Amino acid sequence: MYRLDQFLSARSAFGPRFSQDGTRLFFLSDLTGAPGLWSVRLDAEGRWPEPVGVSFDRVTGAWPGPGSERLVVAADVGGNERTQLSLIERPGVTPRLLTHMPDAIHQFGGWHPNGRQIAYASNERNARFFDAYLLDVETGERRHVFPGEGQEEGAYYACGVSPDGARLLLQEAGSAWEHAVYVLELASGVARRLTAGHTPAAPTPARYRQLAWGADSRTAYCVTDQGRDFLGLAALDTDTGSLRWLACPDWDIDDVAVAPDGSKIAYQINVDGYSEVWVHEMATGQETAIPIPTGQAYEPYKWLPTFSWSPDGRQLAFTFSAADRPASLYVATPETVQTDGAPRRVTDTWAGGLDLDRLAPAELVHYPTFDGREIPAFVYRPHEHTADGTAPALFYMHGGPESQIRTMYNGVIQYFVHRGFVVVAPNVRGSLGYGTPYVHLDDVALRPDSVRDLAEAARWAARAGLAHPRRLAVMGASYGGYMVLAALTENPELWAAGVDIVGIANFVTFLENTGPWRRHHREVEYGSLAHDRAVLEAISPIHKADRIVAPLMVIHGANDPRVPIHEAEQIVQTLKSRGRTVEYLRYEDEGHGLAKLKNRLTAYPQVADFLERHLALTPADVEASGPAVPPSSLTLSTAAPVTSPTVV
C-alpha cells in the first residue's frame, strides 16, 4: 500500500519563464516541499533542475529582466500573503530585497524595457487599496505613479510597461466581476480610462484580465466578458478604447501570452474543466491547436502564467497536468507542430515511487439537481470499485466560490482514493467555467442553493450505487470549508462526517476580520455588512451549530489573512460546548491552507483515520446496502469535450 508521503512527493513544475537568451526555463516547483524557484537548461537532455534563490520561504512568482540575467522574485513568509519583491542579479547571487514593508502586499507589474525599473502595486498607503509604483532596482528610487496625490481609494494593479517605455497599463478592480482598464502616460502622469463603466445602459459589469501589450505599444490584449457570458480574447486600442474580438468560444478563455514580436498569441480554453491550447496568428487569423493529452494547462496560482514565449517567439513553454499526472513543463514549436507532433517535456516528474498508471483518472459526470439543472462533477474511483452501493465516498468541495475543480493532479484526492474512498468533486452553482449566469446563481441570498446542489450530489451518488448512503463525508477548504459546515447544518441526515479546512463559520465575523483589501470584493459575492447583515446571519453555520450531529474535524493556519483563525475556533468551541464530536488541528506556521509538506504529512493521515472511523459500517449496514439504480445507468467519461475557437 502506498503512503501519503508518496502521493505528496509527486512533485510539480509550473509558472515557466524563458531566460533572455532562450537557453533556460525558470519555474516554480515544490521539490523541497514548498514552492521554490528553480531552472532547467533547454540545450541539453536530462539536466537536473538547479535551485535559484534558496533563501525564500514560499515563492509565488519570478520574472526575468530584459537584456540581462536579472530576476525579480515574489515571496511571502509563513503563508501570510504579505508578498515582498526581491532582486537576483544572476542565478547563484544572493537575493536583495526591493520592498521593505513586511506588513504590505507587493504585486509585480512588469519590467520597464530599460531593464532597470519595475512596475508594481502595493497596499502600503492604505491596507484596503492598491496603488501603482515604478521602482529603479539599481538606485532604489521609486515613484508613486497612480492613483496620485489626493486619491483616497481604489484598487489599481500595474499590468505592464509598453515596449517603448512610455505607458503603463492599469487594471482597476472594483470587484472580482467589475474591472476597468486605464493607460498611464509615465512622462506626464496622466491616466485615461479605456473601458466603459457600469451604467444603466450597460447594467452588467465586465471583467478585463490577463492584460498585455502588443509590440506596437498601442494595442493591449485582454481576456474579457464584455457583452458576453464567457471570457473571450480581444484587442484593445489604447488610443481610442475600441475593442476588437479575436476569439469567442462558448467556454472561458483562461489565459493568454503575446509573442515578443506581437505576431501571435497563445491562449487556453477551459472546456468543461479540460484545457485546449491554441495559437492565433495576428496577420492571418489562423488558429493552430497545440496537441496536449487529456488534462489541463493550468496553474496553482492564478497570477502565474500558463504560457511563456521564448525571446525569439519560436517556442512556447507551458505547464500540463492531468488527474493522474503531476504538472510538468512542456515546450512546443507552433510553426512545426503539425509535422513535429506533441510538445517536448522538459521536466521529469518525480513520482515518489507511485505507478502513475494506477492512479485514478478524473471521470466527468453531470448529475440532476433540485431545479432541473445538470451539475458537472469529477468522480475518482478506486481500481477495484464496483457500483454495488457499499463504498465510502468523500465529497471534495473547492474554494472560491468563484473557482472550479479542474483535472490537475491532486495528491490528497489520490491518497483518499487509494485508501478506498470514492471521491466526488462537484462544481456546484457559483463555480467558474460555465458562464457568467451560472457563477451568479449563488450570490447573497441565493447561497443556500449551492448547498442544495451538494445535497443532490450525495443523493445521486447513493442512488447510482457509487457509495453507501450512510458512508458519505464532505471535505473542503476556504469557501469549501463553509460548504462543509453548511452541509452538516442544512442536511444533517445525509452526512456521516465532515472536514472543514480554513472554512467560514460566521459570515459577519469573517467580513469584519478578513484582510481589509479583500472585504469589498467579498461583500459583492456574499452580501455587505451594511445592507445584508440579516442574510449573512441566516446563512452562517455558526447560528445552526446545534443541528450538527456528524463528527467534524477542523484544520486551520494561525497566520490566515483571508479567513482568520477565529472562524475555526468559534465553531470548535461551540460544538464542544454542546458535547459534539470535534477534532481540531491548528498550525502556527501556516496561512490560508496547508502549504508546507511537513504539515500536510501530519494532517491528512489524521483526516483519513478520522473518516475511516466514522464511516465504518456494521454487518447489518452492509447487508442492507445496494444501489437503487442499476449500475449500468451511470455514465462516466474521461474524454474531454472537443471544441474549437470562434474567430471574429
Side-chain angles (χ1 to χ4, degrees):
M1 185 172 182
Y2 292 132
R3 305 179 308 275
L4 172 64
D5 64 291
Q6 292 177 275
F7 291 99
L8 297 185
S9 293
R11 300 296 197 244
S12 297
F14 45 92
R17 295 279 188 180
F18 277 93
S19 62
Q20 287 301 302
D21 62 6
T23 65
R24 183 186 296 269
L25 271 182
F26 296 101
F27 62 95
L28 270 60
S29 178
D30 53 359
L31 279 169
T32 60
L37 180 59
W38 298 77
S39 73
V40 64
R41 294 194 64 85
L42 300 174
D43 54 0
E45 296 292 338
R47 295 297 298 268
W48 187 258
E50 301 172 11
V52 182
V54 296
S55 60
F56 299 109
D57 187 20
R58 182 180 69 158
V59 177
T60 58
W63 300 268
S68 72
E69 294 187 89
R70 285 174 168 167
L71 284 155
V72 167
V73 181
D76 70 355
V77 177
N80 66 5
E81 300 186 19
R82 268 70 169 180
T83 307
Q84 304 299 310
L85 302 178
S86 297
L87 179 73
I88 298 177
E89 286 288 351
R90 63 183 180 277
V93 175
T94 302
R96 173 167 57 87
L97 201 61
L98 295 175
T99 58
H100 303 273
M101 294 189 178
D103 292 330
I105 297 172
H106 304 82
Q107 295 189 348
F108 182 77
W111 279 94
H112 192 284
N114 64 20
R116 285 188 51 164
Q117 294 173 299
I118 62 169
Y120 70 91
S122 172
N123 66 343
E124 63 187 68
R125 177 178 63 90
N126 185 321
R128 297 175 58 193
F129 311 113
F130 285 83
D131 302 344
Y133 296 83
L134 205 62
L135 172 70
D136 189 311
V137 301
E138 295 182 4
T139 66
E141 180 183 356
R142 70 170 190 161
R143 290 169 53 199
H144 181 193
V145 295
F146 200 79
E149 193 68 26
Q151 184 75 28
E152 293 300 325
E153 60 184 61
Y156 299 98
Y157 301 99
C159 297
V161 181
S162 59
D164 63 7
R167 295 169 157 186
L168 177 66
L169 273 178
L170 296 166
Q171 179 208 52
E172 179 192 16
S175 73
W177 294 93
E178 185 170 6
H179 301 159
V181 181
Y182 289 75
V183 61
L184 172 70
E185 303 291 341
L186 290 174
S188 65
V190 175
R192 291 181 293 108
R193 181 169 175 153
L194 300 178
T195 55
H198 185 189
T199 65
T204 303
R207 292 173 287 170
Y208 298 90
R209 300 168 43 190
Q210 281 78 45
L211 299 174
W213 282 103
D216 61 1
S217 296
R218 292 183 60 251
T219 306
Y221 298 98
C222 64
V223 169
T224 180
D225 57 357
Q226 179 181 302
R228 304 185 73 242
D229 287 342
F230 293 93
L231 291 164
L233 173 61
L236 187 65
D237 188 308
T238 60
D239 289 335
T240 66
S242 62
L243 191 92
R244 175 170 56 91
W245 291 104
L246 301 178
C248 301
D250 287 332
W251 295 98
D252 280 343
I253 291 180
D254 280 340
D255 199 7
V256 301
V258 182
D261 64 359
S263 64
K264 47 190 173 289
I265 302 178
Y267 63 95
Q268 174 196 178
I269 307 176
N270 172 1
V271 183
D272 219 352
Y274 299 92
S275 287
E276 293 182 3
V277 178
W278 294 81
V279 174
H280 177 91
E281 296 285 344
M282 294 303 302
T284 64
Q286 178 182 346
E287 300 278 340
T288 301
I290 303 297
I292 62 172
T294 298
Q296 68 177 83
Y298 190 69
E299 301 300 347
Y301 301 119
K302 64 183 179 180
W303 55 85
L304 285 176
T306 301
F307 311 109
S308 175
W309 288 99
S310 59
D312 62 8
R314 294 189 65 250
Q315 297 187 92
L316 178 69
F318 62 93
T319 304
F320 171 78
S321 177
D324 53 1
R325 292 294 184 274
S328 293
L329 302 184
Y330 289 75
V331 172
T333 306
E335 293 176 359
T336 60
V337 73
Q338 302 301 332
T339 56
D340 291 349
R344 175 171 62 100
R345 192 173 74 179
V346 297
T347 58
D348 291 326
T349 299
W350 182 32
L354 299 175
D355 180 355
L356 297 182
D357 292 332
R358 294 286 296 169
L359 298 183
E363 306 173 60
L364 177 64
V365 304
H366 295 83
Y367 66 87
T369 192
F370 66 93
D371 60 358
R373 299 176 191 275
E374 293 285 319
I375 303 298
F378 289 103
V379 175
Y380 305 76
R381 297 189 292 170
H383 275 282
E384 306 304 322
H385 176 266
T386 58
D388 62 0
T390 64
L394 178 62
F395 288 75
Y396 189 93
M397 304 306 299
H398 67 68
E402 306 103 327
S403 186
Q404 180 187 21
I405 290 288
R406 300 286 299 274
T407 51
M408 68 188 300
Y409 176 80
N410 186 315
V412 172
I413 286 179
Q414 293 292 344
Y415 172 67
F416 282 107
V417 173
H418 187 64
R419 293 277 296 245
F421 294 87
V422 175
V423 176
V424 181
N427 283 307
V428 298
R429 69 190 63 208
S431 300
L432 288 177
Y434 309 98
T436 301
Y438 190 81
V439 172
H440 293 305
L441 287 175
D442 68 341
D443 287 357
V444 194
L446 299 176
R447 184 76 38 211
D449 287 348
S450 62
V451 184
R452 295 176 70 184
D453 286 344
L454 172 56
E456 291 301 325
R459 297 184 181 106
W460 164 82
R463 290 196 308 270
L466 278 177
H468 193 286
R470 285 186 290 281
R471 304 188 76 187
L472 307 179
V474 57
M475 179 172 77
S478 190
Y479 177 79
Y482 156 74
M483 288 292 289
V484 170
L485 298 177
L488 299 187
T489 58
E490 298 301 326
N491 303 101
E493 76 284 356
L494 288 177
W495 306 103
V499 181
D500 160 28
I501 304 172
V502 297
I504 302 167
N506 184 333
F507 277 101
V508 172
T509 56
F510 158 69
L511 289 172
E512 288 174 341
N513 297 303
T514 191
W517 60 92
R518 303 184 70 251
R519 182 179 302 161
H520 172 66
H521 285 202
R522 296 297 82 205
E523 285 189 328
V524 172
E525 169 71 31
Y526 299 131
S528 74
L529 291 169
H531 304 293
D532 304 295
R533 183 176 287 263
V535 172
L536 295 170
E537 292 178 347
I539 65 175
S540 293
I542 193 69
H543 300 307
K544 307 173 187 178
D546 59 313
R547 300 182 187 177
I548 296 178
V549 293
L552 177 68
M553 175 174 277
V554 179
I555 302 172
H556 219 106
N559 302 320
D560 192 341
R562 299 188 178 211
V563 181
I565 197 167
H566 177 63
E567 293 302 303
E569 293 180 340
Q570 62 180 307
I571 192 67
V572 169
Q573 293 167 4
T574 298
L575 291 177
K576 283 184 174 180
S577 70
R578 287 167 166 76
R580 302 295 200 268
T581 300
V582 58
E583 298 184 22
Y584 179 35
L585 303 179
R586 171 180 168 133
Y587 289 90
E588 300 300 327
D589 57 347
E590 293 282 10
H592 193 59
L594 300 181
K596 293 181 169 61
L597 177 62
K598 65 182 181 69
N599 295 332
R600 296 199 298 269
L601 289 174
T602 64
Y604 289 112
Q606 294 183 70
V607 172
D609 292 343
F610 170 84
L611 293 176
E612 286 179 349
R613 286 197 307 273
H614 296 294
L615 269 63
L617 288 180
T618 67
D621 290 330
V622 175
E623 184 68 24
S625 66
V629 176
S632 60
S633 69
L634 179 64
T635 302
L636 300 172
S637 173
T638 58
V642 177
T643 189
S644 58
T646 301
V647 181
V648 180

